[in-house]
Amino acid sequence: MEGFDFVPILSATLRVATPLLLAAMAGLFSERSGIIDVGLEGKMLVAAFAAAAAASVSGNVVVGLLAGIGASCLLGLVHAYACVTLRGSQVVSGMAINILASGLTVTLALAWFSMGGQTPPLPAAARFLPLTLPSTEALAGVPVLGRVYGALLGGQTALVYLALLLVPLSAWVLYRSRFGLRLRACGEHPAAIDTAGISVARLRYAGVLIASVLCGVAGAYIATAQGAGFQRDMIAGRGYIALAAMILGGWRPWPILLACLAFGLLDAVAIRLQGVVLPGIGAFPVQAIQALPYLLTVVLLAGFVGRAIPPKASGTPYVKER
């Protein structure tokens, strides 16, 4: 049972759940404004490439993070223009972004770096490295507490803490601030917002841009914290899993956090199961283990998506009454 020590599993859960949480919160802000954002996957992928490329060239991880956010926001503006200004299909626009990102990132990587669609491995200065909390060495000898403090609460990158802080911040913004009230009203009853003299288009642009910033951070995390460079299609469906977590969480920040942690825990346990031989079962097939998070996504969505109640105006273009 040493392979199932709870501290490294929970620590890995936080690391794996971080990009899911960031992307799910991105979808939350977008859909609360009334815009379905299926393009989370594509924006994360473009952000991962931009962050890795910029960090590789500059040698600075902050430059990479800003580049990832910028690239994601560019796609977000395209999505907002297609859905808000042109009143096009939000699902079609999001899927087009995903397809565009999949081909564009590999093409640019081949043209700029000539490494088979990858970026060069990032040095330590161009990556987000785990942080060591104060008094970690002093508590190292304390049973349980020392390991929990040093390896679970500590030993994470700055973006992990940022993602966790984002949950109460998002809850406050959406439910306690004037902007959040207007954003939620825009996704529920945009005509009421328009009647009050507030621009529905501006609020929906704001929701999509907030989502794009969070997708940029998520993509940069995958390329410069969880990994050490860009690889083809490295997001690997996390954007869709984030959408599933958002739906399971009922479009609310705290339940979304629990859903992301559940997906992260399953992924962390699946990684630990590789090579482990269980009595009467034998070794788990690696392919079956890797498919577990995606199977859970399908099963949970099949069972709960009908019970989830999205914002009423989500996915519906708003036409101003004359």
Side-chain angles (χ1 to χ4, degrees):
M1 297 297 292
E2 292 183 1
F4 288 88
D5 189 352
F6 75 98
V7 172
I9 290 179
L10 293 180
S11 180
T13 297
L14 289 179
R15 292 193 295 271
V16 173
T18 293
L20 301 180
L21 181 57
L22 289 167
M25 289 297 170
L28 172 65
F29 276 95
S30 182
E31 296 211 10
R32 280 296 186 180
S33 72
I35 301 297
I36 296 175
D37 200 347
V38 184
L40 298 176
E41 179 90 3
K43 288 190 286 188
M44 290 170 66
L45 185 61
V46 166
F49 169 73
S56 176
V57 173
S58 66
N60 190 314
V61 68
V62 176
V63 173
L65 175 62
L66 294 177
I69 293 174
S72 178
C73 286
L74 285 177
L75 282 186
L77 286 173
V78 172
H79 183 57
Y81 180 74
C83 299
V84 180
T85 304
L86 300 182
R87 304 189 187 98
S89 171
Q90 299 172 11
V91 175
V92 172
S93 175
M95 291 304 300
I97 286 176
N98 292 339
I99 296 171
L100 173 65
S102 180
L104 181 63
T105 51
V106 175
T107 301
L108 292 178
L110 283 170
W112 293 351
F113 300 103
S114 301
M115 297 182 63
Q118 302 179 3
T119 60
L122 298 178
R127 296 185 61 203
F128 285 100
L129 300 178
L131 302 178
T132 301
L133 297 181
S135 304
T136 298
E137 294 184 2
L139 294 174
V142 180
V144 182
L145 177 61
R147 299 187 62 225
V148 169
Y149 182 78
L152 179 57
L153 299 180
Q156 308 289 351
T157 63
L159 296 184
V160 174
Y161 303 114
L162 175 64
L164 294 176
L165 288 174
L166 181 65
V167 178
L169 177 61
S170 299
W172 183 87
V173 169
L174 287 173
Y175 296 101
R176 299 294 181 182
S177 70
R178 178 180 299 179
F179 170 77
L181 175 62
R182 292 175 174 177
L183 190 74
R184 290 190 294 119
C186 189
E188 295 288 344
H189 203 308
I193 288 291
D194 192 20
T195 303
I198 302 170
S199 173
V200 173
R202 187 177 301 172
L203 280 172
R204 290 189 166 181
Y205 264 90
V208 173
L209 283 178
I210 292 173
S212 300
V213 170
L214 296 179
C215 282
V217 178
Y221 173 83
I222 292 174
T224 61
Q226 206 171 52
F230 174 82
Q231 297 179 356
R232 179 173 183 170
D233 293 329
M234 69 183 305
I235 304 303
R238 289 182 180 91
Y240 300 110
I241 295 178
L243 280 176
M246 180 194 66
I247 295 172
L248 293 176
W251 290 267
R252 293 173 295 169
W254 291 105
I256 287 175
L257 170 63
L258 296 179
C260 291
L261 290 176
F263 281 113
L265 177 61
L266 181 64
D267 206 354
V269 171
I271 293 173
R272 305 288 291 188
L273 281 175
Q274 295 185 24
V276 175
V277 179
L278 299 180
I281 299 178
F284 275 85
V286 175
Q287 294 80 2
I289 294 172
Q290 293 174 341
L292 283 178
Y294 307 99
L295 291 175
L296 179 66
T297 302
V298 173
V299 171
L300 291 179
L301 283 181
F304 292 98
V305 72
R307 306 175 190 175
I309 302 176
K312 293 180 181 179
S314 180
T316 305
Y318 177 68
V319 181
K320 186 178 179 68
E321 296 181 359
R322 297 180 181 272

